C-alpha cells in the first residue's frame, strides 16, 4: 500500500488497526467528544467515574488518552498529579472462578499494580533523580514503603511480577517518550531488572526490622472468597495505605483505570457475567469514596441495566458519577480528518483532499458514518476498507489516482458483506434477506415464509434479539372498520449494513440462500394468538 499512501500524501495508513492498544500515538489524534471532559476532570482529580459505551465506541481509546495525559502531568512535574494504574487483566482475580470473586481480589491486585507503577516510574528517572526520592525517606516513611512492598508486591511470584512489569513498562513507554537508551531499544529485560533492584534496595533499608503482615492484609489474604469476615473494613484500610505510599513519592493520589472487563474468557459473550465480575467492587461504595483514590471504569453499556434498581445486581449508580458515550456526526467526521492530518503531517486536511474532483466527499463520509452505526471502530474499519479497495482496483496502474467513487462504493459493499457475516447467525441473515422488507408486520412474515402467526412471532423475536430489527410502532389493521381490528406491531430493519445489502441486492454466497426446507418442523412454543398482536 506504500505507493497508494505516497500518492495520497500519507506516511502510513491512518486506519490500519482496530485496537487502541496498537496505536502508541493515539492521544495525538484522539477526538475528545463532550463526554471526555467529565472523564478527564474526575480521573485526574482521583474521583470515581463510570463511562458506559457500546463495543467499539472508543472506551479503550479514551482510557489510553487519559492515562497518557496523566503521565504527561507527572513528566511536567505538575502539582497534584495522580499516578495512573491500569487494571485490564483479570486472570488472577478470576483464578477461583467468577462465582468466588470477592472485593479482596480487586484490592490485592490494585495494591500490587500501584506499587509496580511507582517502581516503573522510578526506573524511568535518572539515577540521581531516583536517589532523591529513595534516600529522602525518613525512618517512618521507609517502614511504610517497605511494609507495602512486603504486603502487596513480594507475595506475587517473581515470574508473574516480571510479566506484569513488562506490560507496565510498555504502557509507560507510550506516554513517556524514550527516557533512556534502554527504553529506546526496548530492552525490557534490562529495565525489569532495574525495577527489581529498586524494590530490593528499598527493602534492604529496614531488613533488620521485624515487620509482619498487617492485620487487615492478613484478613484479605486469609479469606480469599471474602466470606465469614467483613472484608470491607480491611479493604479500605489497605487502599488508604497505598494512597499514603504513593504520596510519599510526590503523587496526589491514584487513578485506577478499569477496562476490558467484558474481554475475559468468562465474560466475553455475557453482559451478566461481566456485571457479576465487578459487582463485589461496585456495590461497595465506601471503596469508591476514598480520598486520593479514583476508580475510572470503562464498561460495556449492556451492564448498565443489570446494575439498575430493578436489575439483578443492584449498584448505587445514583451515588457514582457516570455517563454513556454518544458520538455526534460532527465528532465522527473530525475523527477521519484528525487521523488524516496526523498521518500526513498536516498536508491532508480532510477526506476530500484524497478524493478525485468528481466525488461529493461530504456525502461519501455521511454514508460511511451511517454504515458504521456511529461506532468509531467501525468507521476506522470502513476507511481502511476504502483504501485497500482503491489500491486493489488500481493494482496494475503505474500512477494510482485519487480515491474514486467506484472504489468507495465497492469498498462499502465489501465491508457490509463481510461484517454482517461476523455479527449475525446465517439463519438470521437468510431470513431477513428473504423477507426483503425494510418495514413489516407479522402478517408479512406469515405470507413470505408460509408459516402461522406463532411461528412468525417466534421468528421476529429472534431477529429482534439479534439487533437487526427494532419495534417501531404499530400499523392500523387492514381490511376492517376503523373501530375494529387490533393494530399490528410494526418492525424496521435498523442495521444500516443489512439495509444496504437489501437495497443493492448484494449476494452473500450460497450459505445465505434461503431454503424453505428449514421451515419444516418449525412450530410455536404456545397456542396461536388472536389477531395480529405481534
Amino acid at each position: 500500500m506504500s505507493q497508494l499512501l505516497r500518492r495520497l500524501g500519507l506516511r502510513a495508513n491512518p486506519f490500519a488497526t482496530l485496537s487502541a492498544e496498537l496505536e502508541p500515538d493515539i492521544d495525538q489524534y484522539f477526538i475528545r467528544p463532550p463526554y471526555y471532559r467529565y472523564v478527564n476532570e474526575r480521573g485526574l482529580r482521583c474521583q470515581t467515574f463510570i463511562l458506559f459505551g457500546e463495543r467499539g465506541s472508543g472506551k479503550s481509546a479514551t482510557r489510553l488518552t487519559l492515562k497518557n495525559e496523566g503521565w504527561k502531568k507527572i513528566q511536567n512535574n505538575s502539582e497534584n498529579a495522580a499516578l495512573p494504574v491500569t487494571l485490564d487483566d483479570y486472570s488472577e482475580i478470576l483464578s477461583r472462578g467468577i462465582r468466588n470473586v470477592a472485593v479482596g481480589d480487586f484490592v490485592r491486585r490494585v495494591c500490587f499494580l500501584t506499587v509496580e507503577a511507582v517502581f516503573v516510574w522510578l526506573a524511568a528517572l535518572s539515577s540521581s533523580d531516583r536517589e532523591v526520592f529513595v534516600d529522602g525517606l525518613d525512618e517512618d516513611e521507609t517502614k511504610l514503603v517497605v511494609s507495602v512492598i512486603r504486603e502487596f508486591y513480594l507475595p506475587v511470584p517473581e515470574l508473574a511480577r516480571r510479566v506484569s512489569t513488562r506490560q507496565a513498562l510498555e504502557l509507560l513507554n507510550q506516554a513517556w517518550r524514550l527516557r533512556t537508551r534502554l527504553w529506546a531499544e526496548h530492552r525490557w529485560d534490562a529495565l525489569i531488572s532495574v525495577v527489581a533492584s529498586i524494590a530490593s534496595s528499598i527493602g534492604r533499608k529496614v531488613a533488620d526490622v521485624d515487620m509482619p503482615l498487617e492485620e487487615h492484609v492478613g484478613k484479605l489474604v486469609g479469606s480469599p472468597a471474602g466470606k465469614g469476615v467483613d472484608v470491607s473494613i480491611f479493604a479500605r484500610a489497605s487502599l488508604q495505605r497505598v494512597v499514603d505510599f504513593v504520596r510519599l513519592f510526590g503523587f496526589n493520589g491514584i487513578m485506577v483505570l478499569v477496562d476490558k472487563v467484558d474481554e475475559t474468557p468468562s465474560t466475553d459473550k455475557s453482559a451478566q457475567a461481566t456485571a457479576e465480575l465487578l459487582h463485589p467492587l461496585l456495590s461497595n461504595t465506601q471503596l469508591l469514596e476514598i480520598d486520593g483514590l479514583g476508580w475510572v471504569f470503562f464498561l460495556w453499556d449492556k451492564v448498565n441495566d443489570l446494575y439498575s434498581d430493578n436489575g439483578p445486581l443492584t449498584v448505587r449508580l445514583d451515588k457514582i458519577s457516570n455517563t454513556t458515550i454518544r458520538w455526534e456526526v460532527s465528532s465522527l467526521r473530525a475523527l477521519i480528518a484528525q487521523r488524516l492530518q496526523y498521518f500526513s503531517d498536516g498536508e491532508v486536511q480532510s477526506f476530500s483532499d484524497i478524493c478525485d474532483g468528481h466525488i461529493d466527499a461530504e456525502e461519501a463520509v455521511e454514508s460511511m458514518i451511517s454504515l458504521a452505526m456511529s461506532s468509531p471502530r467501525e468507521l476506522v474499519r470502513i476507511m481502511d476498507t476504502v483504501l485497500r479497495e482503491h489500491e486493489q482496483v488500481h493494482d496494475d496502474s503505474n500512477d494510482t489516482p485519487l480515491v474514486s467513487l467506484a472504489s468507495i462504493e465497492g469498498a462499502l459493499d465489501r465491508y457490509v458483506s463481510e461484517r454482517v457475516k461476523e455479527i449475525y447467525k446465517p439463519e438470521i441473515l437468510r431470513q431477513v434477506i428473504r423477507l426483503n422488507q425494510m418495514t413489516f408486520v407479522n402478517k408479512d412474515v406469515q405470507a413470505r415464509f408460509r408459516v402461522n402467526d406463532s411461528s412468525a412471532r417466534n421468528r421476529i423475536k429472534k431477529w429482534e434479539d439479534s439487533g437487526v430489527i427494532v419495534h417501531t410502532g404499530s400499523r392500523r389493521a387492514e381490511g376492517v372498520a376503523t373501530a375494529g381490528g387490533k393494530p399490528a406491531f410494526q418492525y424496521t430493519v435498523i442495521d444500516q449494513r443489512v439495509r444496504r445489502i437489501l437495497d443493492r441486492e448484494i449476494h452473500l454466497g450460497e450459505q445465505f440462500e434461503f431454503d424453505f426446507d428449514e421451515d419444516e418442523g418449525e412450530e410455536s412454543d404456545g397456542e396461536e394468538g388472536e389477531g395480529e398482536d405481534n
Side-chain angles (χ1 to χ4, degrees), residues 317-523:
L317 291 179
D318 61 310
K319 299 186 69 175
I320 307 173
S321 297
N322 64 88
T323 192
T324 300
I325 294 177
R326 296 282 187 269
W327 281 87
E328 300 293 335
V329 172
S330 58
S331 295
L332 291 169
R333 283 200 209 98
L335 180 152
I336 296 175
Q338 193 80 0
R339 284 174 176 259
L340 289 171
Q341 290 168 23
Y342 180 79
F343 284 90
S344 68
D345 298 320
E347 294 297 319
V348 178
Q349 289 294 307
S350 67
F351 183 60
S352 62
D353 290 345
I354 63 172
C355 295
D356 69 36
H358 300 92
I359 294 179
D360 185 336
E362 286 298 314
E363 183 178 334
V365 169
E366 292 289 335
S367 296
M368 289 187 280
I369 291 174
S370 175
L371 288 179
M373 304 285 287
S374 296
S375 164
R377 181 187 295 168
E378 292 304 309
L379 186 56
V380 168
R381 189 195 300 262
I382 289 172
M383 286 297 302
D384 180 57
T385 306
V386 168
L387 294 181
R388 294 186 183 280
E389 178 74 13
H390 188 61
E391 178 190 37
Q392 183 175 327
V393 168
H394 299 281
D395 189 41
D396 298 329
S397 174
N398 293 326
D399 183 22
T400 305
L402 296 175
V403 175
S404 65
L405 181 60
S407 295
I408 294 174
E409 293 296 339
L412 297 186
D413 286 347
R414 184 204 294 186
Y415 163 75
V416 298
S417 298
E418 294 174 350
R419 194 70 182 107
V420 295
K421 294 175 186 177
E422 297 170 351
I423 298 172
Y424 301 110
K425 294 179 179 179
E427 68 170 282
I428 299 292
L429 285 176
R430 283 198 300 268
Q431 293 168 0
V432 173
I433 291 171
R434 176 67 182 179
L435 179 62
N436 197 26
Q437 294 186 38
M438 301 295 189
T439 303
F440 59 90
V441 295
N442 183 289
K443 281 193 178 299
D444 296 323
V445 178
Q446 291 182 53
R448 188 61 167 168
F449 296 101
R450 301 179 300 197
V451 296
N452 60 30
D453 171 70
S454 292
S455 292
R457 275 191 281 117
N458 290 340
R459 184 162 295 186
I460 291 171
K461 180 66 165 58
K462 291 180 181 178
W463 301 348
E464 193 172 19
D465 289 344
S466 75
V468 71
I469 67 169
V470 293
H471 174 219
T472 52
S474 299
R475 184 186 300 176
R476 205 171 83 179
E478 299 177 0
V480 295
T482 303
K486 197 171 183 179
F489 284 178
Q490 179 175 280
Y491 299 88
T492 300
V493 176
I494 190 65
D495 192 313
Q496 297 300 318
R497 294 160 292 209
V498 176
R499 293 179 71 92
R500 183 178 178 91
I501 287 170
L502 297 178
D503 273 337
R504 294 173 64 85
E505 299 181 350
I506 298 173
H507 182 64
L508 298 181
E510 293 183 3
Q511 183 184 6
F512 298 91
E513 293 289 342
F514 186 82
D515 185 351
F516 274 104
D517 289 342
E518 69 182 73
D519 284 325
E520 292 183 4
E522 181 179 326
E523 297 294 341

Side-chain angles (χ1 to χ4, degrees), residues 251-268:
F251 299 102
N252 182 50
I254 307 167
M255 174 173 63
V256 184
L257 308 176
V258 184
D259 193 13
K260 298 186 177 297
V261 188
D262 61 317
E263 296 184 25
T264 76
S266 302
T267 61
D268 184 51

Side-chain angles (χ1 to χ4, degrees), residues 13-28:
N13 183 355
F15 313 100
T17 177
L18 301 177
S19 174
E21 282 77 10
L22 300 178
E23 300 186 75
D25 300 324
I26 193 167
D27 59 306
Q28 301 295 309

Side-chain angles (χ1 to χ4, degrees), residues 85-106:
V85 173
T86 300
L87 174 59
D88 62 357
D89 182 349
Y90 305 90
S91 52
E92 181 181 329
I93 292 172
L94 287 165
S95 60
R96 296 184 309 277
I98 199 166
R99 301 294 181 187
N100 293 314
V101 171
V103 70
D105 298 309
F106 285 97

Side-chain angles (χ1 to χ4, degrees), residues 5-283:
L5 295 176
R6 285 196 301 270
R7 173 70 177 90
L8 300 178
L10 302 169
R11 68 173 184 275
N13 183 355
F15 313 100
T17 177
L18 301 177
S19 174
E21 282 77 10
L22 300 178
E23 300 186 75
D25 300 324
I26 193 167
D27 59 306
Q28 301 295 309
Y29 48 82
F30 174 71
I31 299 301
R32 292 160 173 78
Y35 75 80
Y36 182 75
R37 177 169 58 87
Y38 304 113
V39 181
N40 181 274
E41 287 179 355
R42 291 190 170 273
L44 297 180
R45 292 177 182 173
C46 301
Q47 298 173 337
T48 295
F49 191 84
I50 301 177
L51 179 66
F52 294 105
E54 297 179 358
R55 287 176 169 173
S57 61
K59 297 187 297 297
S60 291
T62 303
R63 186 252 304 172
L64 289 167
T65 301
L66 178 59
K67 181 263 299 181
N68 286 357
E69 291 191 3
W71 277 113
K72 285 176 183 176
K73 286 193 68 174
I74 295 169
Q75 187 176 11
N76 294 331
N77 297 316
S78 301
E79 294 185 3
N80 300 322
L83 176 70
V85 173
T86 300
L87 174 59
D88 62 357
D89 182 349
Y90 305 90
S91 52
E92 181 181 329
I93 292 172
L94 287 165
S95 60
R96 296 184 309 277
I98 199 166
R99 301 294 181 187
N100 293 314
V101 171
V103 70
D105 298 309
F106 285 97
V107 172
R108 287 196 304 275
R109 185 62 183 162
V110 167
C111 289
F112 166 81
L113 292 172
T114 300
V115 176
E116 177 186 66
V118 170
F119 288 161
V120 168
W121 165 72
L122 287 171
L125 301 178
S126 65
S127 298
S128 57
D129 288 343
R130 188 184 310 146
E131 290 173 0
V132 169
F133 288 100
V134 176
D135 295 341
L137 299 172
D138 63 27
E139 183 178 353
D140 289 338
E141 291 171 342
T142 301
K143 286 184 177 181
L144 170 61
V145 170
V146 173
S147 68
V148 169
I149 295 172
R150 290 183 177 181
E151 291 163 8
F152 300 115
Y153 188 74
L154 296 180
V156 176
E158 182 179 356
L159 180 59
R161 291 204 305 267
R162 292 181 66 86
V163 171
S164 181
T165 298
R166 173 167 179 152
Q167 294 171 342
L169 287 166
E170 290 174 345
L171 280 175
L172 179 55
N173 189 50
Q174 291 182 10
W176 206 335
R177 307 295 181 189
L178 309 179
R179 297 290 306 196
T180 68
R181 181 177 59 81
L182 294 179
W183 288 70
E185 296 173 357
H186 286 188
R187 294 176 60 185
W188 302 123
D189 288 342
L191 283 164
I192 289 170
S193 297
V194 173
V195 172
S197 68
I198 292 171
S200 298
S201 65
I202 296 177
R204 283 195 298 269
K205 287 181 175 294
V206 287
D208 59 334
V209 179
D210 182 19
M211 301 182 67
L213 288 178
E214 295 286 340
E215 179 188 12
H216 60 270
V217 179
K219 292 287 188 180
L220 286 170
V221 175
S223 181
K227 296 177 181 178
V229 63
D230 186 358
V231 177
S232 299
I233 297 173
F234 308 106
R236 186 178 178 88
S238 296
L239 293 173
Q240 188 62 64
R241 194 173 183 82
V242 293
V243 171
D244 295 338
F245 165 78
V246 302
R247 284 174 170 168
L248 292 178
F249 295 92
F251 299 102
N252 182 50
I254 307 167
M255 174 173 63
V256 184
L257 308 176
V258 184
D259 193 13
K260 298 186 177 297
V261 188
D262 61 317
E263 296 184 25
T264 76
S266 302
T267 61
D268 184 51
K269 298 183 183 300
S270 172
Q272 176 74 26
T274 301
E276 288 177 359
L277 173 54
L278 275 187
H279 187 251
L281 178 59
L282 285 174
S283 61

